[in-house]
Amino acid sequence: MGEPAVDYLADWPGFDRLLEREAIHVAPIPGKNWQWCAIVVGKPGGRLPEGRGPWLEGATPRAAVGCAIVAARYGAEVPD
């Protein structure tokens, strides 16, 4: 298997549209030493479940959003 065509931690085409379409919030949180955190709020009829996600941390906004999407779909803990 080769490398992915897009590095989703650095380059995510349509990232802003994804945030709006799926109602995902991402921000640096002061109480977590300005660590990037994201949560999936979701929208009726959206691809992701509504209100399912916890706030999750990431080194970058995109990493935090990726973790939040996985948690919204599969839960906060995913087995190996």
Side-chain angles (χ1 to χ4, degrees), residues 19 23-32 34-42 51-58 60-61 63-72 75-77:
L19 297 180
I24 300 171
H25 299 278
V26 60
I29 304 296
K32 293 190 176 233
W34 299 103
Q35 177 74 39
W36 284 101
C37 295
I39 187 171
V40 173
V41 177
R52 288 249 350 248
W55 280 95
L56 289 173
E57 300 175 3
T60 66
V65 167
C67 291
I69 289 171
V70 169
E77 294 185 30

